[in-house]
């Protein structure tokens, strides 16, 4: 084989793990995550306006969000497989076009059912789906030394979008209406995403699978379990944590309206919650690099349960702002920790599909949590029971994290 030229060697060095190109790519990914997050965080803001426009109850008005999250989950798995075969650019281009078309179609919906379909198929399944689990998995393949903080930066784009979009959307909803707001968002999101997708054409470098095999509990039998059983436990944990997580995120705007504080206050709380989630994800990423993904998941689960508990006895305006901030600070690192757990305990060659499967489970949890909280409100006339339901699901997540950590400790002791 002839020796490579200096130009070829320089090009090869550029596209390596932990390279300057990887850092630039992470910055582009962050912007893509912010734009793509619009599909997940706009619906909670417009929920009261959509409910009034279509004249439906709270449970049915929550269904578009539920279907969007289901679409994001399933679509993330499909988009991840597409990225494995042809690179991330193609799904990003498809996602940008469909996200824009979805917002415009939803704005023109003649009834709630068409509105749901636009959210599920275009905004969720084919739009936002291309910017969450595929980009998280892609980022995990470009970093080794600081993988935790890199994944956290990538995932924080989702929450940063959640912090930026609600006040912007609320402003335009108040001034021009939710339909015109949707149309403007569709045009802007499509143009930005399709432009940035063209800068993501390089494929990830070859991966070293020795790290997972060297870790106690990692490799062919993650946590000492069959791979399918280990994956199932992580997926159940993902559902459980996100059913709990969805309660404040989806219903805080409506909750503030019911308490008489107005939807604008709720939008501010949602923005504060998700802004604090950005801080949480960055801090949790640094913690992941020190103590690992599994212990970070356990810590986040404990703190999320505590913050949910605080919502029940305290409902003054000041206390809701404070608890919203605490909730964001406590739960932001939970979902990214699953990607780190997969990279730590499963073979690297399976990262894309397994991260996609777990993120799909978390999206299903968000979908279920958003819908069931609205349904519980319709049945009881109060959100207190919905918060209690979230706490129960959070306890299931905590139990799974403890179980897996106990198994890893046992394997470590036997290996020693």
């Amino acid at each position: 084989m002839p020796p490579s030229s200096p130009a070829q060697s320089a090009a090869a060095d550029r596209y390596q793990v932990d390279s300057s190109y990887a850092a630039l790519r992470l910055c582009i990914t962050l912007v893509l995550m912010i734009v793509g997050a619009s599909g997940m965080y706009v619906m909670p803001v417009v929920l009261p306006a959509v409910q009034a426009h279509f004249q439906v109850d709270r449970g049915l008005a929550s269904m578009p969000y539920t279907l969007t999250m289901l679409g994001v989950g399933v679509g993330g798995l499909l988009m991840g497989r597409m990225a494995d075969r042809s690179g991330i650019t193609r799904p990003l281009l498809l996602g940008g076009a469909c996200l824009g078309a979805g917002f415009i179609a939803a704005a023109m919906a003649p009834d709630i059912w068409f509105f749901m379909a636009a959210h599920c198929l275009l905004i969720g399944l084919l739009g936002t789906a291309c910017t969450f689990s595929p980009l998280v998995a892609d980022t995990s393949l470009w970093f080794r030394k600081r993988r935790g903080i890199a994944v956290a930066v990538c995932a924080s784009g989702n929450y940063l979008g959640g912090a930026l979009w609600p006040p912007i959307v609320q402003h335009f909803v108040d001034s021009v209406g939710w339909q015109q707001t949707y149309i403007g968002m569709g045009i802007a999101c499509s143009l930005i995403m399709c432009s940035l997708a063209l800068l993501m054409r390089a494929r990830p470098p070859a991966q070293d699978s020795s790290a997972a095999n060297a870790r106690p509990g990692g490799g062919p039998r993650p946590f000492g379990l069959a791979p399918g059983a280990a994956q199932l436990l992580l997926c159940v944990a993902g559902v459980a944590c996100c059913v709990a997580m969805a309660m404040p995120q989806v219903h805080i705007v409506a909750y503030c309206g019911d308490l008489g504080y107005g939807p604008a206050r709720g939008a501010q709380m949602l923005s504060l919650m998700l802004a604090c989630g950005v801080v949480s994800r960055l801090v949790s990423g640094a913690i992941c690099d020190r103590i690992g993904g599994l212990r970070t998941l356990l810590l986040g689960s404990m703190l999320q349960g505590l913050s949910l508990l605080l919502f029940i006895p305290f409902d003054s305006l000041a206390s809701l702002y404070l608890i919203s901030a605490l909730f964001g600070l406590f739960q932001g690192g939970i979902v990214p920790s699953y990607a780190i757990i997969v990279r730590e305990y499963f073979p690297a060659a399976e990262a894309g599909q397994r991260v996609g499967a777990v993120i799909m489970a978390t999206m299903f949890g968000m979908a279920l949590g958003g819908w069931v909280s609205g349904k519980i409100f319709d049945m009881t006339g109060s959100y207190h029971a919905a918060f209690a339901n979230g706490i129960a699901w959070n306890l299931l997540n905590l139990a799974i994290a403890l179980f897996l950590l106990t198994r890893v400790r046992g394997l470590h002791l036997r290996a020693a």
Side-chain angles (χ1 to χ4, degrees), residues 60-411:
L60 190 57
S62 301
M63 279 299 293
Y65 176 85
T66 296
L67 293 175
T68 300
M69 301 308 287
L70 287 174
V72 172
V74 175
L77 186 58
L78 299 176
M79 293 287 189
R81 289 178 177 175
M82 183 188 296
D84 287 339
R85 292 194 301 266
S86 60
I88 196 71
T89 299
R90 184 175 295 179
L92 285 174
L93 288 171
L94 175 63
C98 290
L99 184 63
F103 278 125
I104 294 172
M108 299 178 177
D111 53 47
I112 189 67
W113 307 106
F114 190 98
F115 185 83
M116 287 183 191
H119 268 267
C120 179
L121 298 177
L122 293 174
I123 296 177
L125 183 69
L126 299 174
T128 297
C130 76
T131 63
F132 198 78
S133 55
L135 285 175
V136 168
D138 182 80
T139 298
S140 74
L141 298 174
W142 283 93
F143 291 88
R144 182 179 300 115
K145 295 178 181 178
R146 292 291 181 267
R147 181 180 293 142
I149 192 65
V151 169
V153 169
C154 170
S156 70
N158 179 264
Y159 269 7
L160 188 56
L164 295 174
W165 284 112
I168 294 172
V169 172
Q170 188 66 56
H171 168 75
F172 283 103
V173 168
D174 291 340
S175 58
V176 300
W178 71 268
Q179 291 165 303
Q180 289 79 6
T181 300
Y182 262 45
I183 292 172
M185 288 182 59
I187 295 170
C189 291
S190 184
L191 289 175
I192 295 171
M193 285 182 60
C194 290
S195 299
L196 292 179
L198 299 176
L199 303 177
M200 301 283 285
R201 286 173 289 184
R203 299 297 297 271
Q207 300 296 307
D208 179 12
S209 61
S210 60
N213 292 330
R215 177 183 293 271
R221 289 185 58 81
F223 315 111
L225 301 169
Q231 180 81 65
L232 179 61
L233 279 174
L234 286 178
C235 288
V236 173
V239 171
C241 75
C242 289
V243 170
M245 195 181 296
M247 171 56 233
Q249 286 190 17
V250 178
H251 290 274
I252 190 67
V253 176
Y255 184 43
C256 286
D258 294 339
L259 292 174
Y261 302 132
R265 294 288 191 180
Q268 291 172 359
M269 290 178 195
L270 179 61
S271 180
L272 175 64
M273 185 185 298
L274 297 173
C276 290
V278 174
V279 177
S280 175
R281 287 194 164 173
L282 295 176
V283 172
S284 295
I287 293 173
C288 268
D289 285 329
R290 290 180 175 272
I291 67 174
L294 195 53
R295 289 180 176 85
T296 304
L297 172 63
L298 180 64
L299 177 63
S301 182
M302 292 173 59
L303 293 175
Q304 176 175 266
L306 175 62
S307 60
L308 279 172
L309 187 62
L310 294 175
F311 274 106
I312 296 178
F314 302 106
D315 60 5
S316 68
L317 187 61
S319 64
L320 285 175
Y321 273 110
L322 178 59
I323 298 169
S324 295
L326 290 175
F327 182 81
L329 287 172
F330 289 164
Q331 56 81 38
I334 293 177
V335 172
S337 68
Y338 292 116
I340 303 302
I341 292 169
V342 168
R343 291 292 284 114
E344 288 176 337
Y345 292 97
F346 289 85
E350 303 173 2
Q353 61 180 346
R354 293 201 180 276
V355 170
V358 179
I359 298 300
M360 179 176 69
T362 65
M363 295 298 104
F364 178 78
M366 293 295 291
L368 177 61
W371 172 77
V372 77
S373 297
K375 201 64 179 176
I376 290 173
F377 174 85
D378 289 336
M379 294 171 61
T380 64
S382 169
Y383 276 121
H384 282 182
F387 281 117
N389 174 70
I391 292 169
W393 282 93
N394 194 86
L395 288 173
L396 174 59
N397 175 265
L398 184 63
I400 293 173
L402 280 170
F403 171 74
L404 293 178
L405 184 59
T406 300
R407 289 193 62 84
V408 169
R409 285 180 174 175
L411 292 169

